[in-house]
Amino acid sequence: MAKTMDETYTIYKDENQPIEDRVEDLLKRMTLEEKIGQMTQIDLSVASFDAIKTYSIGSVLSGGDSAPLKRATAEDWINTVNGLQKGALATRLGIPIIYGIDAVHGNAIVYNATVFPHNIGLGAARDPELIRRIGVATALEVRATGITYAFAPCIAVSRDPRWGRCYESYSEDPKIVQEMTEIIYGLQGESPEGSQNGIPYVGGRDKVAACAKHYVGDGGTTEGIEASNTVVDNAGLYEIHMPAYLDSIRKGVSTIMVAYSSLNGEKMHGHGKLLTDYLKNTLQFKGIVISDWEALDRMTIPPRADYTNSVLAGVQAGLDMIMVPFKFIEFIDTLTDLVKKNYIHMERIDDAVKRILRVKFIMGLFENPMADFSLVNELGSQAHRDLAREAVRKSLVLLKNGKEGDSPLLPIPKGASKILVAGTHAHNLGYQCGGWTVSWQGLTGNDGTRGTTILDAIKSSVHPSTEVVYKEDPDKEFVKSNNFTHAIIVVGELPYAEFDGDSQTLTMIEPGPTVINNICGTVKCVVVVVSGRPLVIEPYIASIDALVAAWLPGSEGQGVADLLFGDYEFTGKLPRTWFRDVDQLPMNVGDPHYDPLFPFGYGLTTDKIILSENE
């Protein structure tokens, strides 16, 4: 006999019911196993229909090296995500998964995506409206692949350029970092007027859940060593590292990721006072507190030395979703055992699961769990590439333009007769994009994703009569014998991410300095530095005619040429202090020993001049 309407009706499946009622209704139907499954986030490499169905897994992510296949298309991604979602929908309660990816400068882990400048460049642009539009575009490109959750923005306030994540920080200045939280409105949509502070908001199927990270103090570690210890008093913590989190919570951010680092010797992943007492209770944040990658393993040295105690400490402190990402059965068994033995109370588990369900309901995942192909053309679209090119133009900082007594070198006339383009970074899209591009540590060369190198941009910008000669590492004889009118030298550092980027020397890669020495002084030269932070440049500065900080501009190298040839003027300002010597570090604006090569906020400009073809 057919069931009656009343017998099949469940509050949690009714989209017309208040979200909190749906959360409570679903929670009371869940077993302990289902609750702990929701708290578990696993990597794509170990995810399957069966694993998700069997363990009621709540979330899957693609780590930096975890695509469905090499050069996967948007359709490939969607099919993969939907295949896993079917496993979630086949569970007893049909709770959909939320799928996350590191879209930290566009959805750049995905092949062919638009790669926007890294955050340090956006901090130089000082344009919250621009960054909001970048958030809109990034959300579309993430949704184009069927993914619903972006681990962005990083709102660290980097106080030391030796830190390998310096480029993920908008600025050393907390006020600029605060302003850049505008990207959350782009990613998630703007919460309706009158929304309660601390309640997450995600505005529809072209938006994603955002993630403010890494809470808190990750940019202040001693000597800039990734995941180490931040020594700071309460005033410093709340004046420097905390303000952007207040703004993110006000803007309805859905999730907050905890930092690997410690605060005054206490691991942030076990810091109950800051995770529960302050973030959840005082600030009334109602979204998900998520761990970083394998963070529970890393709570001890060596990792996993006392895994049970690490799980206990992290969950007790206030973690809601745990990025396991591989050994998820061991995590589930460990947490289950801790609850059954009453080391962790059900109230703590229920708090975690309520937050996870709340975000999933707010996102509309229960109504629309499956991705379709309607947005696939948003991936790497021309409109987004145009926006990225605009962001490049606004992010470049002009540090020098002409030697003393000389007229400015920039802009270079488009009709210059013979231009030398040289340096390690002139024709290398991977170097130009930096870390978190197609893979975790980034890539090298020009075939890893789609974009325009600075060399190709220069060639397309000049008059047809201009001869552009490219030689990565020219010797002095070559330079002298070729009658170049101008030289554009593009140098910098190799791609890196996280601890692989920690550096105590901050030098550009060879043969960068050699190329500068072989060219500058013989030919009028502009040096373009492609890097995730300020590098040692003072030894070469006297010989350089013009100097440009291009940061990590991403896939649209044309934005660099737009400024070199005067189609637009330079407007970027240094988002962080450019040191003279690494021995000065750490050195931030306002410090008593402040003696920079270029101070925070510095940036020359050029008049907007459209040069005629023959000038």
Side-chain angles (χ1 to χ4, degrees), residues 78-112:
I78 287 170
N79 290 331
T80 298
V81 174
N82 280 348
L84 298 175
Q85 190 67 277
K86 287 173 183 171
L89 300 180
T91 57
R92 183 177 73 92
L93 295 168
I95 304 171
I97 56 165
I98 182 171
Y99 197 111
I101 195 167
D102 282 288
V104 296
H105 59 145
N107 196 14
I109 295 295
V110 174
Y111 178 73
N112 266 345

Side-chain angles (χ1 to χ4, degrees), residues 518-530:
N518 285 350
I519 298 173
C520 295
T522 304
V523 181
K524 292 281 189 187
C525 71
V526 52
V527 172
V528 179
V529 181
V530 173

Side-chain angles (χ1 to χ4, degrees), residues 136-187:
V136 170
T138 300
L140 284 167
E141 295 212 13
V142 172
R143 281 286 194 165
T145 54
I147 295 170
T148 49
Y149 179 18
F151 300 123
C154 177
I155 53 172
V157 181
S158 172
R159 305 292 283 177
D160 195 322
R162 292 173 291 185
W163 186 37
R165 300 192 95 133
C166 181
Y167 65 77
E168 294 187 56
S169 168
Y170 295 108
S171 180
E172 72 186 48
D173 180 1
K175 291 189 183 66
I176 291 174
V177 179
Q178 263 184 295
E179 288 171 1
M180 296 300 112
T181 60
E182 192 75 14
I183 196 171
I184 292 166
Y185 282 151
L187 291 165

